[in-house]
Amino acid sequence: MTKNSQRLSQLISTFGPGSMIDLPTRSVIVAGLEWWDMRGNSFTTIPEPRLTMRLEQLLKEQGRLDPEVHLSLRTPPVSNELGHGAPQGVAAPVFPTWFVCEQVETGSGPNSSLRRRRLVRWQDLDTKGRRKFVFDDGRKSEVTPIRFVCACEKGHMQDIDWRWVVHGAVQCHEPMWIEEKGTSADPADTSVVCGCERRLSLQDAFQPGRLGKCRGERPWLMDRDPEGCGDNLKLLTRTATNTYFPQVYTVISLPAEEDELSRLVDELSGDLAGVQTVDDVAQAKKFNPRVSASLGAYSNSDIFDRLKRIRDGARVDASKSPKLSEFDVFACGIAEIGTNSASAKLYAQTLPRSVWEDTSAGIDLSSIKGLVAVHRLREVSCLYGFTRFEAAPTSADGDIEDIQLAVRGAPISRHADWLPAIEQFGEGLFVHFDEKAVAPWLQETDVAARQGKLINGYEHWQRRFSGGAPTYPGTAYTLLHSLSHALMAEIALDCGYPASSLKERIYALSDSRTGTVPERCGVLIYTATPGAQGTLGGLVAAGSRFTRILKGALDRLKVCSNDPVCADHEPDGRSGDRATHGAACHGCLLIAETSCEMRNLFLDRSLLVPTMGGHGANFFD
């Protein structure tokens, strides 16, 4: 049997529970956490107290996690490469269960342009691998999964009941076909036809309520929602990008080691997740070989004391946005942040201004307070839910607007006390902006006028979200976000990294979350990829060339290949997500969405440099 495998990062981002995957002979849906094979050594526990405590706190507040349960983070199961025993993995039941025969039946005469293919169920296929359908006359035909399923906005999904959709309450057992005409992809040219002459055009299937009411089916959990549903079902193309939007919470690990014992306890905090007393430490030593090997020489009381300190610190951090703690560490001004060791979670150096500032470049760098070369960082990403049809809005401060195991009714497990997560290592550059330079810029007349237009576009955009959109991130966020995208494109050209291997974290933060003037301003551009692209040192080495990189990035933004259309674009209510944009397009600021923390929203290069639009709101001359 062909081995079907995915990378660990894909199970957290693209193909988590509830997503569909195309295999050579069928389509499957990734099952919930109860059907992940977590036996033996197939997984590892990821220690990240800040993330664990934050998720646990919010889950318990919403009643999604039992108050007595302590959440843990685990990697997805890894298959046994040695081939001993059954391979570990993730269950994936067949979905959808309707298939279309590949053998085409063409019409004759005036209907010669019609093409018909038989519509069959999974149980109708031959029993040997279920790859073919056998017609009544003995002919065999390969089959492919049907392209269409139906779902509701709560994330429930099910097969379309084609017989009911075509016939209504009338019982009929005649064969059914998918009938196509012409060469376009117009839904009006595709119909579902029954042998009794009844038919349904796919164009009609888009009508509200035409596919019936949702029954709350959750094929990835192999059950129905106990709370039911009843919403109108919507037609969904199986391979479309709007079938699955993962909700991933990401933090950058911070140094927390006081001494050797604290470092060891911090590394094993995932294995010690169930430890609540000193006696529990003794049990962990007895039954967990990793704990025994690393902490066997230390007393149980000392171990528990260090564990309690780490948890108390994580609880304090859990009460606020993770970005606040990250910014305070990067912007502390200390020459060396963390320890320079292979096991360190974070090691960075605050570069002297003489290293990166080039006064001959002809650019004013007085608004930049400092540059930090991050030699080693650890990123932990955790999947906690998903949505369908449209992605859930993201908060600009890195926190979660609506954190739960069921995002809009789409749980990844029935009763989960753990969440899937991955850790990735990389390097980065942190740029600290002077908040005292950003504040007066926001008060300028032209900037205030531009801000009014951006807010107007945001207000049009937020009406799309029935459950409430995130708060406006602020014009300072749009400024830093636009600069981050420009720097990523320029750094990719300078140091040779693929642009898609770079990521960003924007820090335009205020303690109150209500003020328009941020108290913390910075940008972290970093790599954290599963391969070796994040550990080559090219990004850190670019720190000494930062002035030239910044100047090149800004010069490229003055003229876009799509000008004057790009420069003249105004945020309004007629352009979907572009309502959050000013002068921004694929020719200048938009990047791969996997690299952007805000899905390419809230961008405007006219806030950075003068453009053909002549808005006069530019931060740099």
Side-chain angles (χ1 to χ4, degrees):
M1 180 177 178
T2 303
K3 179 181 177 182
N4 300 297
S5 60
Q6 301 288 341
R7 298 181 72 123
L8 294 182
S9 58
Q10 288 179 307
L11 280 173
I12 299 300
S13 57
T14 314
F15 300 116
S19 65
M20 289 177 284
I21 301 176
D22 264 333
L23 299 182
T25 60
R26 66 202 67 173
S27 171
V28 297
I29 189 167
V30 179
L33 301 184
E34 283 86 359
W35 288 270
W36 291 28
D37 189 349
M38 310 300 279
R39 296 173 298 173
N41 298 320
S42 63
F43 73 95
T44 57
T45 303
I46 295 180
E48 184 51 54
R50 290 173 58 235
L51 177 57
T52 305
M53 289 293 180
R54 183 61 172 160
L55 290 169
E56 185 176 303
Q57 172 188 329
L58 295 173
L59 286 169
K60 289 181 178 179
E61 287 176 358
Q62 296 196 3
R64 303 281 179 172
L65 190 66
D66 189 282
E68 302 300 321
V69 172
H70 297 282
L71 194 66
S72 63
L73 306 180
R74 302 178 185 178
T75 62
V78 179
S79 179
N80 185 355
E81 296 294 337
L82 298 178
H84 301 311
Q88 287 91 3
V90 174
V94 173
F95 185 85
T97 58
W98 282 95
F99 290 76
V100 179
C101 292
E102 293 186 2
Q103 183 171 321
V104 179
E105 303 174 20
T106 58
S108 58
N111 294 323
S112 59
S113 63
L114 289 178
R115 302 178 303 279
R116 297 204 310 175
R117 293 180 295 162
R118 182 73 174 270
L119 191 61
V120 296
R121 297 295 300 267
W122 169 254
Q123 57 265 31
D124 298 332
L125 306 182
D126 66 350
T127 56
K128 296 181 180 179
R130 296 188 183 273
R131 297 187 176 188
K132 296 183 179 181
F133 175 73
V134 182
F135 290 91
D136 293 338
D137 58 4
R139 291 178 296 123
K140 294 184 177 181
S141 173
E142 299 280 350
V143 295
T144 56
I146 195 167
R147 289 188 296 133
F148 307 103
V149 295
C150 57
C152 76
E153 293 184 352
K154 292 180 181 177
H156 303 136
M157 187 165 62
Q158 64 190 60
D159 271 304
I160 297 175
D161 188 346
W162 292 108
R163 291 201 177 276
W164 180 86
V165 170
V166 173
H167 299 89
V170 178
Q171 294 292 324
C172 180
H173 299 285
E174 294 291 322
M176 301 178 70
W177 288 268
I178 294 290
E179 186 177 272
E180 300 167 317
K181 61 181 179 180
T183 57
S184 72
D186 189 340
D189 292 339
T190 303
S191 301
V192 179
V193 182
C194 180
C196 69
E197 303 300 329
R198 289 179 179 264
R199 64 173 55 233
L200 170 75
S201 169
L202 283 186
Q203 188 175 42
D204 297 333
F206 283 98
Q207 296 176 1
R210 187 64 180 82
L211 300 180
K213 298 292 184 179
C214 177
R215 300 190 295 266
E217 292 191 11
R218 305 183 295 189
W220 65 98
L221 298 182
M222 304 179 200
D223 70 353
R224 289 188 180 182
D225 191 335
E227 297 181 0
C229 186
D231 291 355
N232 284 333
L233 290 167
K234 295 182 178 181
L235 190 69
L236 192 62
T237 303
R238 177 173 52 83
T239 54
T241 57
N242 66 344
T243 60
Y244 189 80
F245 294 100
Q247 291 264 243
V248 179
Y249 196 31
T250 299
V251 300
I252 303 295
S253 298
L254 302 179
E257 305 90 13
E258 301 172 2
D259 53 26
E260 180 65 14
L261 177 56
S262 296
R263 183 184 65 80
L264 292 173
V265 172
D266 188 47
E267 290 179 357
L268 292 170
S269 59
D271 295 88
L272 299 172
V275 172
Q276 300 301 316
T277 64
V278 175
D279 292 338
D280 291 341
V281 176
Q283 295 298 313
K285 283 184 177 180
K286 182 178 180 179
F287 295 107
N288 191 320
R290 290 186 61 200
V291 174
S292 176
S294 299
L295 303 177
Y298 298 94
S299 70
N300 296 343
S301 59
D302 286 345
I303 294 171
F304 185 71
D305 179 64
R306 298 300 196 281
L307 181 62
K308 190 172 182 298
R309 288 189 209 173
I310 292 172
R311 287 176 175 173
D312 289 343
R315 287 191 182 98
V316 172
D317 285 341
S319 63
K320 57 185 179 181
S321 163
K323 282 188 175 182
L324 289 171
S325 300
E326 294 169 14
F327 179 91
D328 290 343
V329 170
F330 287 126
C332 65
I334 300 175
E336 291 199 3
I337 303 169
T339 57
N340 187 13
S341 65
S343 60
K345 294 180 179 179
L346 179 69
Y347 175 64
Q349 291 180 312
T350 303
L351 299 179
R353 199 170 187 92
S354 59
V355 172
W356 56 268
E357 185 177 35
D358 183 359
T359 56
S360 64
I363 181 174
D364 182 10
L365 298 177
S366 60
S367 59
I368 298 178
K369 292 181 67 172
L371 186 69
V372 179
V374 186
H375 295 271
R376 179 180 176 86
L377 63 79
R378 173 180 179 254
E379 176 198 69
V380 179
S381 299
C382 173
L383 175 70
Y384 62 86
F386 68 91
T387 60
R388 302 199 194 277
F389 294 106
E390 63 183 29
T394 305
S395 173
D397 64 0
D399 211 349
I400 298 172
E401 292 290 325
D402 185 18
I403 166 68
Q404 48 190 341
L405 279 178
V407 182
R408 300 179 67 185
I412 60 175
S413 174
R414 294 178 183 173
H415 306 288
D417 62 354
W418 62 276
L419 293 174
I422 56 170
E423 58 179 353
Q424 300 182 120
F425 295 88
E427 56 174 334
L429 283 176
F430 174 75
V431 186
H432 183 191
F433 281 84
D434 189 351
E435 295 80 8
K436 293 180 180 179
V438 175
W441 171 77
L442 289 171
Q443 305 303 318
E444 294 179 7
T445 303
D446 290 336
V447 177
R450 189 63 175 170
Q451 177 175 261
K453 293 182 179 180
L454 290 170
I455 293 176
N456 183 60
Y458 159 78
E459 290 173 346
H460 284 294
W461 173 77
Q462 71 171 345
R463 297 189 188 113
R464 300 173 50 194
F465 300 96
S466 57
T471 56
Y472 179 62
T475 305
Y477 180 93
T478 305
L479 168 73
L480 297 178
H481 193 203
S482 303
L483 181 61
S484 174
H485 282 211
L487 285 174
M488 280 195 281
E490 191 68 18
I491 287 173
L493 294 174
D494 178 85
C495 71
Y497 275 126
S500 59
S501 72
L502 300 178
K503 296 184 179 180
E504 66 178 358
R505 281 179 84 78
I506 311 300
Y507 302 91
L509 307 171
S510 173
D511 286 329
S512 64
R513 294 190 65 183
T514 58
T516 57
V517 180
E519 298 158 7
R520 297 171 175 84
C521 290
V523 172
L524 173 65
I525 298 174
Y526 68 101
T527 65
T529 60
Q533 292 176 346
T535 57
L536 298 177
L539 190 52
V540 169
S544 60
R545 305 186 299 276
F546 176 74
T547 300
R548 181 167 59 83
I549 291 173
L550 176 61
K551 180 174 174 54
L554 296 175
D555 287 345
R556 291 178 188 275
L557 294 184
K558 292 180 179 178
V559 178
C560 172
S561 59
N562 289 321
D563 278 343
V565 175
C566 176
D568 290 339
H569 176 263
E570 298 289 350
D572 55 40
R574 301 188 299 272
S575 51
D577 284 348
R578 281 193 59 102
T580 65
H581 292 170
C585 70
H586 287 283
C588 53
L589 283 183
L590 272 63
I591 61 174
E593 288 198 359
T594 53
S595 299
C596 178
E597 71 171 19
M598 191 59 81
R599 297 186 299 106
N600 278 329
L601 303 177
F602 303 107
L603 296 166
D604 187 1
R605 62 188 171 95
S606 66
L607 297 180
L608 292 172
V609 295
T611 65
M612 292 182 181
H615 302 293
N618 49 290
F619 185 79
F620 296 94
D621 293 329

